[in-house]
Amino acid sequence: MTRQTPPEDPDRLLRAAARRLDRRRFLTGTSAVAALAFSFGLPGDQSRIGQEDEEPRPADELPPETLTEDPFTLGVASGDPLPDAVVLWTRLAPRPLEPGSGMPATGSYRVTWEIARDEGFRHLQRRGSAYAHAEFNHAVHVDARGLGAGREYWYRFTAGRWRSPVARTRTLPARDADPARMRLALVSCQNYADGYYTLLRHAAAQDVEALFHVGDYIYENPVSAVGGHRRYTDRTLPAQHNREPRTLADYRLRYSLHKSDPDLQAAHHAHPWFVTWDDHEVHNDYSGTTESLVRRAAAYRAYWENQPLRLPQPDASGLTLYRRVHYGRLAQFDILDTRQYRDPQAGSQWRQSLGAEARDPRRTLMGATQERWFADGLRNSDARWNVVPQQVVLSRCAFGTRGSAPVLSTDAWDGYPAARERFLTAVDQAGGNRNLVLLTGDAHVAHAFDVKRDFDDPGSRTVGAEFVCSSITTERDGPAHPADWAGLRALNPHMKFYDGRRGYTVITLDRTATRADFHAIDRVTRPDGRITPAGSFVTEAGNPGVHPA
Ligand SMILES: [Fe+2]
């Protein structure tokens, strides 16, 4: 079964694909990145997920007995549930922290999957097989269809003589159902080197229907032999983690490192996830044109390989992450991608008062196509709640003043005022009260905001609510309030809640209100951090804005 030809280095293939694209003068925008990310090193058979339970047998299939070590060290995951389907994910990686994950550089392994109505798999619902291809770092994506709506399921994989952990998932209610309630966990920003994922373990135990991760699933900073601020004394991380990832091999290793964490696995094993990315999946504060095409393509490909996304097997047509999800008629979720299509940040500093460049009306955060998609979707929505899980803070957040001008983040919506104005105009033009709720990450601080129609005018209308979930680990242990707490409040009267500690948020939607329960942890630099309620806020249907619960 061993091939005589030497294995192709995926990063060499990626660079060669970039040279071919360059010759065709195709390097014109974001579509080129996705095209590049998925135009090389594809498995020969070109089968797609979601079409059949049994994937055609590839010519390079390897015998199962050559899997001599447990390949399920990264656990399993599920995501993007529908009323009748859910995506199941795993990746074969017997030695995940080594380059290549301890797998052969070529060839495919057959993996069987099962989904059942009970944890003991006595009531099997569906079963099938898929192939883990070397070209995708032995990741497996299965779109398990034919499931019942609004139901709990358990799933597992088998490869050779090895069986994966059993994990729980859940389908969405039927599109025309009118569920009384939905609960979800909102998380973001899990810098591995900044501490332990105790909050994810806590989120795993929550009674929620899904977990929304709104970006910074990985970070690109070097991770030392002791795991940075985790300060391991019982293990030594290999030296290749102690540098910034730039190649596909590097990004794959970075996912292995994060996904080897047992608390992260617990959160995947307990709930289906909806993921979207922010900047650190590539590089801090990157924007469309600031990173090399090849690096971004490598990061995008590794992201797809490692997330339970319902996207077709990549074929160079793109990696569209923004998507719409219906929780019956209770809520419409418009999950945004404010990173891939944005214009570069205006100005030289992360926080500054905005100049004329930032106010250029042509500047975009979502890109024109996604802006239209959002406006159309909101106008046509029949949902009680219109929920927008997305990356960076939409509400004005002034950190100080320079002269009379507020100092703002150039990376958040504050740095793209024309784009924010178009977003809020779309909300206006959708008509009526749309019960807009933004679910946001990135800030590494928990917030509740009244979303104002015009943030320059404190007296202007409130048009929605924004809840920001803080970070799982990023920025480590910290105080609940900044030194100039009174000053921050005075600058931002629409900011109803601030907690600077690490945390996450449980969101409960029902027919009358949406409630945010913020959880905070005293420290993440040790594995025994204590988690306590940090605050609870509600926004009522028909009455935009937030107030204490
Ligand atoms: Fe972050």
Side-chain angles (χ1 to χ4, degrees), residues 289-359:
T289 56
T290 57
E291 290 302 317
S292 91
L293 184 77
V294 171
R295 182 178 183 183
R296 207 147 45 103
Y300 282 19
R301 172 119 169 189
Y303 183 79
W304 179 83
E305 288 173 350
N306 283 283
Q307 299 292 8
L309 285 161
R310 177 175 285 99
L311 290 175
Q313 176 172 300
D315 64 354
S317 64
L319 203 160
T320 307
L321 266 186
Y322 63 86
R323 55 206 191 274
R324 182 162 293 134
V325 176
H326 299 279
Y327 195 84
R329 287 182 285 148
L330 181 64
Q332 173 170 307
F333 291 87
D334 283 347
I335 301 169
L336 303 188
D337 178 353
T338 61
R339 190 57 63 177
Q340 182 171 192
Y341 312 103
R342 66 162 64 195
D343 285 314
Q345 295 83 351
S348 55
Q349 292 167 348
W350 169 44
R351 289 175 177 175
Q352 61 177 66
S353 47
L354 300 185
E357 186 200 342
R359 297 180 201 287

Coordinates of all heavy atoms in Angstrom, one line a residue, residues 289-359:
T289 N -6.2 43.2 3.1 CA -5.0 43.4 2.2 C -3.7 43.4 3.0 O -2.7 43.6 2.4 CB -5.2 44.7 1.5 OG1 -5.3 45.7 2.5 CG2 -6.3 44.7 0.5
T290 N -3.8 43.1 4.3 CA -2.5 43.3 5.1 C -1.7 42.0 5.3 O -0.6 42.1 5.7 CB -2.8 43.9 6.5 OG1 -3.8 43.0 7.1 CG2 -3.4 45.3 6.4
E291 N -2.3 40.9 5.0 CA -1.5 39.7 5.1 C -1.2 39.1 3.8 O -1.9 39.2 2.8 CB -2.3 38.7 5.9 CG -2.5 39.0 7.4 CD -1.1 39.2 8.1 OE1 -0.2 38.4 7.9 OE2 -1.0 40.2 8.8
S292 N -0.1 38.4 3.7 CA 0.3 37.8 2.4 C -0.8 36.8 2.1 O -1.4 36.1 2.9 CB 1.6 37.1 2.5 OG 1.5 35.8 2.9
L293 N -1.1 36.7 0.8 CA -2.1 35.8 0.3 C -1.9 34.4 0.7 O -2.8 33.7 1.1 CB -2.1 35.9 -1.2 CG -3.2 35.2 -2.0 CD1 -4.5 35.9 -1.9 CD2 -2.8 35.0 -3.4
V294 N -0.7 33.9 0.6 CA -0.3 32.5 0.9 C -0.6 32.2 2.4 O -1.1 31.2 2.7 CB 1.1 32.2 0.5 CG1 1.5 30.8 1.0 CG2 1.2 32.3 -1.1
R295 N -0.2 33.1 3.2 CA -0.4 32.9 4.7 C -1.8 32.8 5.0 O -2.3 32.0 5.8 CB 0.3 34.0 5.5 CG 0.2 33.8 7.0 CD 0.9 34.9 7.8 NE 0.8 34.5 9.2 CZ 1.2 35.3 10.2 NH1 1.9 36.4 9.9 NH2 1.1 34.9 11.4
R296 N -2.6 33.7 4.5 CA -4.0 33.8 4.7 C -4.7 32.5 4.2 O -5.6 31.9 4.9 CB -4.7 35.0 4.1 CG -5.9 35.5 4.9 CD -6.1 37.0 4.9 NE -5.8 37.6 3.6 CZ -6.8 38.1 2.8 NH1 -8.1 37.9 3.1 NH2 -6.5 38.7 1.7
A297 N -4.3 32.1 3.0 CA -4.9 30.9 2.5 C -4.6 29.7 3.4 O -5.5 28.8 3.6 CB -4.4 30.6 1.0
A298 N -3.4 29.6 3.9 CA -3.0 28.5 4.8 C -3.9 28.5 6.0 O -4.4 27.5 6.5 CB -1.5 28.6 5.1
A299 N -4.1 29.7 6.6 CA -4.9 29.8 7.8 C -6.3 29.5 7.5 O -7.0 28.8 8.4 CB -4.8 31.2 8.3
Y300 N -6.9 29.9 6.4 CA -8.3 29.6 6.1 C -8.5 28.1 5.9 O -9.5 27.5 6.3 CB -8.7 30.3 4.8 CG -9.0 31.8 4.9 CD1 -8.5 32.5 6.0 CD2 -9.7 32.4 3.9 CE1 -8.8 33.9 6.1 CE2 -10.0 33.8 4.0 CZ -9.5 34.5 5.1 OH -9.8 35.8 5.2
R301 N -7.5 27.5 5.2 CA -7.6 26.0 5.0 C -7.6 25.3 6.3 O -8.4 24.4 6.6 CB -6.5 25.6 4.1 CG -6.4 24.0 4.0 CD -6.6 23.6 2.6 NE -6.3 22.2 2.4 CZ -6.2 21.6 1.2 NH1 -6.4 22.3 0.2 NH2 -5.9 20.3 1.1
A302 N -6.7 25.6 7.2 CA -6.6 24.9 8.5 C -7.8 25.2 9.3 O -8.3 24.3 10.0 CB -5.3 25.4 9.3
Y303 N -8.4 26.4 9.2 CA -9.7 26.7 9.9 C -10.8 25.7 9.4 O -11.5 25.1 10.2 CB -10.1 28.1 9.6 CG -11.3 28.5 10.4 CD1 -11.3 28.9 11.7 CD2 -12.6 28.6 9.7 CE1 -12.4 29.3 12.4 CE2 -13.7 29.0 10.4 CZ -13.6 29.4 11.7 OH -14.8 29.7 12.4
W304 N -10.9 25.6 8.1 CA -12.0 24.7 7.6 C -11.7 23.3 8.0 O -12.7 22.6 8.5 CB -12.0 24.8 6.1 CG -13.1 23.8 5.6 CD1 -14.4 24.1 5.5 CD2 -12.9 22.5 5.2 NE1 -15.1 23.0 5.0 CE2 -14.2 22.0 4.8 CE3 -11.8 21.6 5.0 CZ2 -14.4 20.7 4.4 CZ3 -12.0 20.4 4.6 CH2 -13.3 19.9 4.3
E305 N -10.5 22.9 8.0 CA -10.2 21.5 8.3 C -10.6 21.2 9.8 O -11.0 20.0 10.1 CB -8.7 21.2 8.1 CG -8.3 21.1 6.7 CD -6.8 21.0 6.5 OE1 -6.0 21.2 7.5 OE2 -6.3 20.7 5.4
N306 N -10.5 22.2 10.6 CA -10.6 21.9 12.1 C -11.9 22.3 12.7 O -12.1 22.2 13.9 CB -9.5 22.6 12.8 CG -8.2 21.8 12.6 OD1 -8.0 20.7 13.3 ND2 -7.3 22.2 11.7
Q307 N -12.9 22.8 11.9 CA -14.2 23.2 12.5 C -15.3 22.4 11.9 O -15.3 22.0 10.8 CB -14.4 24.7 12.2 CG -13.4 25.6 12.8 CD -13.4 25.7 14.3 OE1 -14.1 24.9 15.0 NE2 -12.6 26.6 14.9
P308 N -16.4 22.2 12.7 CA -17.5 21.4 12.3 C -18.5 22.3 11.5 O -19.6 22.6 11.9 CB -18.2 21.0 13.6 CG -17.8 22.0 14.6 CD -16.5 22.6 14.2
L309 N -18.0 22.7 10.3 CA -18.7 23.6 9.4 C -19.5 22.9 8.3 O -19.0 22.0 7.7 CB -17.8 24.6 8.8 CG -17.2 25.7 9.7 CD1 -15.9 26.3 9.0 CD2 -18.2 26.8 9.9
R310 N -20.7 23.4 8.1 CA -21.5 22.8 7.0 C -21.1 23.6 5.7 O -21.8 24.5 5.2 CB -23.0 22.9 7.2 CG -23.7 22.4 5.9 CD -25.2 22.2 6.0 NE -25.5 21.1 6.8 CZ -25.8 21.1 8.1 NH1 -25.9 22.3 8.7 NH2 -26.1 20.0 8.8
L311 N -19.9 23.4 5.2 CA -19.5 23.9 4.0 C -19.1 22.8 3.1 O -18.6 21.8 3.6 CB -18.3 24.8 4.2 CG -18.5 26.1 4.9 CD1 -17.2 26.8 5.2 CD2 -19.4 27.0 4.1
P312 N -19.4 22.9 1.8 CA -19.0 21.8 0.9 C -17.5 21.5 1.0 O -16.8 22.4 1.4 CB -19.4 22.2 -0.5 CG -19.7 23.7 -0.4 CD -20.0 24.0 1.1
Q313 N -17.1 20.3 0.6 CA -15.7 20.1 0.5 C -15.1 21.2 -0.3 O -15.6 21.5 -1.4 CB -15.4 18.7 -0.1 CG -14.0 18.5 -0.3 CD -13.7 17.0 -0.7 OE1 -14.1 16.1 0.0 NE2 -13.2 16.9 -1.9
P314 N -14.0 21.8 0.1 CA -13.5 23.0 -0.6 C -13.2 22.7 -2.0 O -12.6 21.6 -2.3 CB -12.2 23.3 0.2 CG -12.5 22.8 1.6 CD -13.3 21.6 1.4
D315 N -13.5 23.6 -2.9 CA -13.2 23.4 -4.3 C -12.9 24.7 -5.0 O -13.1 24.9 -6.1 CB -14.4 22.8 -5.0 CG -15.6 23.7 -5.0 OD1 -15.5 24.8 -4.4 OD2 -16.6 23.4 -5.7
A316 N -12.3 25.6 -4.2 CA -11.9 26.9 -4.7 C -13.0 27.9 -5.0 O -12.8 29.0 -5.4 CB -11.0 26.7 -6.0
S317 N -14.2 27.5 -4.7 CA -15.3 28.5 -4.9 C -15.5 29.5 -3.8 O -16.2 30.4 -3.8 CB -16.6 27.8 -5.2 OG -17.0 27.1 -4.1
G318 N -14.8 29.2 -2.6 CA -14.8 30.2 -1.6 C -15.0 29.6 -0.2 O -15.3 28.4 -0.1
L319 N -14.9 30.4 0.8 CA -15.1 30.0 2.2 C -16.1 31.1 2.8 O -15.6 32.0 3.4 CB -13.9 29.9 2.9 CG -13.9 29.0 4.2 CD1 -12.6 28.5 4.6 CD2 -14.7 29.6 5.3
T320 N -17.3 30.9 2.5 CA -18.3 31.9 3.0 C -18.8 31.5 4.4 O -19.5 30.5 4.5 CB -19.5 32.0 2.0 OG1 -19.0 32.2 0.7 CG2 -20.5 33.1 2.4
L321 N -18.4 32.3 5.3 CA -18.7 32.0 6.7 C -20.0 32.6 7.2 O -20.6 32.1 8.1 CB -17.6 32.4 7.7 CG -16.5 31.4 8.0 CD1 -15.6 32.0 9.0 CD2 -17.1 30.1 8.5
Y322 N -20.4 33.7 6.6 CA -21.6 34.4 7.1 C -22.8 33.5 6.7 O -22.8 33.0 5.5 CB -21.7 35.8 6.7 CG -21.8 36.1 5.2 CD1 -23.0 36.1 4.5 CD2 -20.7 36.4 4.4 CE1 -23.1 36.4 3.2 CE2 -20.7 36.7 3.1 CZ -22.0 36.7 2.5 OH -22.0 36.9 1.1
R323 N -23.8 33.4 7.6 CA -24.9 32.4 7.3 C -26.0 32.7 8.2 O -25.9 33.4 9.2 CB -24.4 31.0 7.4 CG -23.8 30.6 8.8 CD -22.8 29.4 8.6 NE -22.3 28.8 9.8 CZ -21.3 29.3 10.5 NH1 -20.6 30.4 10.1 NH2 -20.9 28.7 11.6
R324 N -27.2 32.2 7.8 CA -28.4 32.5 8.5 C -29.0 31.2 9.1 O -29.0 30.2 8.4 CB -29.4 33.1 7.5 CG -30.7 33.5 8.1 CD -31.4 34.5 7.1 NE -30.7 35.7 7.0 CZ -30.4 36.4 5.9 NH1 -30.8 35.9 4.8 NH2 -29.7 37.5 6.0
V325 N -29.4 31.3 10.3 CA -29.9 30.1 11.1 C -31.3 30.5 11.7 O -31.4 31.6 12.3 CB -29.0 29.7 12.2 CG1 -29.5 28.5 13.0 CG2 -27.6 29.4 11.6
H326 N -32.3 29.6 11.5 CA -33.6 29.9 12.1 C -33.8 28.9 13.3 O -33.8 27.7 13.1 CB -34.7 29.6 11.1 CG -34.5 30.5 9.9 ND1 -35.0 31.8 9.9 CD2 -34.0 30.3 8.7 CE1 -34.7 32.4 8.7 NE2 -34.1 31.5 8.0
Y327 N -34.1 29.5 14.5 CA -34.6 28.7 15.6 C -36.1 28.8 15.6 O -36.7 29.6 16.3 CB -33.9 29.2 16.9 CG -34.1 28.2 18.0 CD1 -33.1 27.2 18.2 CD2 -35.1 28.3 18.9 CE1 -33.3 26.3 19.2 CE2 -35.3 27.3 19.9 CZ -34.3 26.3 20.0 OH -34.5 25.4 21.0
G328 N -36.7 28.0 14.8 CA -38.2 28.1 14.6 C -38.5 29.5 14.2 O -37.8 30.1 13.4
R329 N -39.6 30.0 14.8 CA -40.0 31.4 14.6 C -39.5 32.3 15.7 O -39.9 33.5 15.8 CB -41.5 31.5 14.3 CG -41.9 31.0 12.9 CD -43.4 31.1 12.7 NE -44.1 30.2 13.4 CZ -45.4 30.4 13.9 NH1 -45.9 31.6 13.8 NH2 -46.0 29.4 14.6
L330 N -38.8 31.7 16.7 CA -38.4 32.5 17.9 C -37.3 33.4 17.5 O -37.3 34.6 17.9 CB -38.0 31.5 19.0 CG -37.5 32.2 20.3 CD1 -38.7 33.0 20.9 CD2 -37.0 31.2 21.3
A331 N -36.3 32.9 16.7 CA -35.1 33.7 16.5 C -34.5 33.4 15.1 O -34.5 32.3 14.7 CB -34.1 33.5 17.5
Q332 N -34.1 34.5 14.5 CA -33.3 34.4 13.3 C -31.8 34.8 13.7 O -31.7 35.9 14.2 CB -33.8 35.2 12.1 CG -32.9 35.3 10.9 CD -33.6 36.0 9.7 OE1 -34.7 35.6 9.3 NE2 -32.9 37.0 9.2
F333 N -30.9 34.0 13.4 CA -29.5 34.3 13.7 C -28.8 34.6 12.4 O -28.7 33.8 11.5 CB -28.8 33.1 14.3 CG -29.2 32.8 15.7 CD1 -30.3 32.0 16.0 CD2 -28.6 33.3 16.8 CE1 -30.8 31.7 17.2 CE2 -29.0 33.1 18.1 CZ -30.1 32.3 18.3
D334 N -28.2 35.8 12.3 CA -27.4 36.2 11.2 C -25.9 36.2 11.7 O -25.5 37.2 12.3 CB -27.8 37.5 10.6 CG -29.1 37.4 9.7 OD1 -29.4 36.2 9.4 OD2 -29.7 38.4 9.4
I335 N -25.2 35.2 11.4 CA -23.8 35.1 11.9 C -23.0 35.8 10.8 O -23.0 35.4 9.7 CB -23.4 33.6 12.0 CG1 -24.3 32.8 12.9 CG2 -22.0 33.5 12.4 CD1 -24.2 31.3 12.9
L336 N -22.2 36.8 11.3 CA -21.5 37.6 10.4 C -20.0 37.2 10.3 O -19.5 36.6 11.1 CB -21.5 39.1 10.8 CG -22.9 39.8 11.0 CD1 -22.8 41.3 11.2 CD2 -23.8 39.5 9.8
D337 N -19.4 37.7 9.2 CA -18.0 37.7 9.0 C -17.5 39.1 8.8 O -17.6 39.6 7.7 CB -17.6 36.8 7.8 CG -16.1 36.7 7.5 OD1 -15.3 37.5 8.1 OD2 -15.7 35.9 6.6
T338 N -17.0 39.8 9.8 CA -16.6 41.1 9.7 C -15.1 41.2 9.5 O -14.5 42.3 9.6 CB -17.0 42.0 10.9 OG1 -16.3 41.4 12.1 CG2 -18.5 42.0 11.1
R339 N -14.4 40.1 9.2 CA -13.0 40.1 9.0 C -12.5 39.9 7.6 O -11.6 40.6 7.1 CB -12.4 39.0 9.9 CG -10.9 39.0 10.1 CD -10.4 40.3 10.6 NE -10.8 40.6 12.0 CZ -10.4 41.7 12.7 NH1 -9.5 42.5 12.2 NH2 -10.9 41.9 13.9
Q340 N -13.1 39.0 6.9 CA -12.6 38.6 5.6 C -12.7 39.7 4.5 O -11.9 39.8 3.6 CB -13.3 37.3 5.1 CG -12.9 36.8 3.8 CD -13.4 35.4 3.5 OE1 -13.0 34.8 2.6 NE2 -14.5 34.9 4.1
Y341 N -13.8 40.5 4.6 CA -14.1 41.4 3.5 C -13.8 42.9 3.8 O -14.1 43.8 3.1 CB -15.5 41.3 3.1 CG -16.0 39.8 2.9 CD1 -16.7 39.2 3.9 CD2 -15.6 39.1 1.8 CE1 -17.1 37.9 3.7 CE2 -15.9 37.8 1.6 CZ -16.7 37.2 2.6 OH -17.1 35.8 2.5
R342 N -13.2 43.1 5.0 CA -13.1 44.5 5.5 C -12.0 45.3 4.8 O -11.0 44.7 4.3 CB -12.9 44.6 7.0 CG -11.6 44.0 7.4 CD -11.2 44.4 8.8 NE -12.1 44.0 9.9 CZ -12.1 44.5 11.1 NH1 -11.3 45.5 11.4 NH2 -13.0 44.0 12.0
D343 N -12.1 46.6 4.8 CA -11.1 47.5 4.4 C -10.0 47.6 5.5 O -10.4 47.3 6.7 CB -11.6 48.9 4.1 CG -12.3 49.0 2.8 OD1 -11.8 48.5 1.8 OD2 -13.4 49.6 2.7
P344 N -8.8 47.9 5.2 CA -7.8 48.1 6.3 C -8.2 49.1 7.3 O -8.9 50.0 7.0 CB -6.5 48.5 5.6 CG -6.7 48.1 4.1 CD -8.2 48.2 3.9
Q345 N -7.8 48.9 8.6 CA -8.0 49.9 9.6 C -7.4 51.2 9.2 O -6.4 51.3 8.6 CB -7.4 49.4 10.9 CG -8.0 48.1 11.5 CD -7.4 46.8 10.9 OE1 -6.7 46.9 9.9 NE2 -7.7 45.7 11.5
A346 N -8.2 52.3 9.6 CA -7.7 53.6 9.3 C -6.8 54.1 10.5 O -7.2 54.0 11.6 CB -8.9 54.6 9.1
G347 N -5.7 54.7 10.1 CA -4.8 55.3 11.2 C -3.7 54.3 11.6 O -3.8 53.1 11.3
S348 N -2.8 54.8 12.3 CA -1.6 54.0 12.7 C -1.7 53.4 14.0 O -0.9 52.5 14.3 CB -0.4 55.0 12.6 OG -0.6 56.0 13.5
Q349 N -2.7 53.8 14.8 CA -2.8 53.2 16.2 C -4.0 52.4 16.3 O -5.0 52.7 15.6 CB -2.8 54.3 17.2 CG -1.4 55.1 17.3 CD -1.5 56.4 18.1 OE1 -2.6 56.8 18.4 NE2 -0.4 56.9 18.4
W350 N -4.0 51.5 17.3 CA -5.2 50.7 17.5 C -6.3 51.5 18.1 O -7.4 51.4 17.8 CB -4.7 49.6 18.5 CG -5.8 48.8 19.1 CD1 -6.9 48.3 18.4 CD2 -6.0 48.4 20.5 NE1 -7.8 47.6 19.3 CE2 -7.2 47.7 20.5 CE3 -5.3 48.6 21.6 CZ2 -7.7 47.1 21.7 CZ3 -5.7 48.1 22.8 CH2 -6.9 47.3 22.8
R351 N -5.9 52.4 19.0 CA -6.9 53.4 19.6 C -6.5 54.8 19.3 O -5.4 55.2 19.6 CB -7.0 53.2 21.1 CG -7.7 51.9 21.5 CD -7.7 51.7 23.0 NE -8.3 50.5 23.4 CZ -8.4 50.0 24.6 NH1 -7.8 50.6 25.6 NH2 -9.0 48.9 24.9
Q352 N -7.4 55.5 18.6 CA -7.1 56.9 18.3 C -8.4 57.7 18.0 O -9.4 57.0 17.8 CB -6.1 57.0 17.2 CG -6.6 56.4 15.9 CD -5.7 56.6 14.7 OE1 -4.6 56.0 14.7 NE2 -6.0 57.4 13.8
S353 N -8.3 59.0 17.9 CA -9.5 59.7 17.4 C -9.5 59.6 15.9 O -8.4 59.6 15.3 CB -9.5 61.2 17.9 OG -8.2 61.7 17.7
L354 N -10.7 59.5 15.3 CA -10.8 59.2 13.9 C -10.5 60.4 13.0 O -10.9 61.5 13.3 CB -12.2 58.7 13.6 CG -12.7 57.4 14.4 CD1 -14.0 57.0 13.8 CD2 -11.7 56.3 14.2
G355 N -9.7 60.1 12.0 CA -9.4 61.1 11.0 C -10.4 61.0 9.8 O -11.3 60.2 9.8
A356 N -10.2 61.8 8.8 CA -11.0 61.8 7.6 C -11.0 60.5 6.9 O -12.1 60.0 6.4 CB -10.6 62.9 6.7
E357 N -9.9 59.8 6.9 CA -9.8 58.5 6.2 C -10.8 57.5 6.8 O -11.5 56.8 6.0 CB -8.4 58.0 6.4 CG -8.1 56.7 5.6 CD -6.9 55.9 6.2 OE1 -6.1 56.5 7.0 OE2 -6.8 54.7 5.9
A358 N -10.9 57.5 8.1 CA -11.9 56.5 8.7 C -13.3 56.8 8.3 O -14.1 55.9 8.3 CB -11.7 56.6 10.3
R359 N -13.6 58.1 8.0 CA -15.0 58.5 7.7 C -15.3 58.3 6.2 O -16.5 58.6 5.8 CB -15.2 59.9 8.1 CG -15.0 60.1 9.6 CD -15.3 61.6 10.0 NE -14.7 61.8 11.3 CZ -15.1 61.4 12.5 NH1 -16.2 60.7 12.5 NH2 -14.5 61.6 13.6

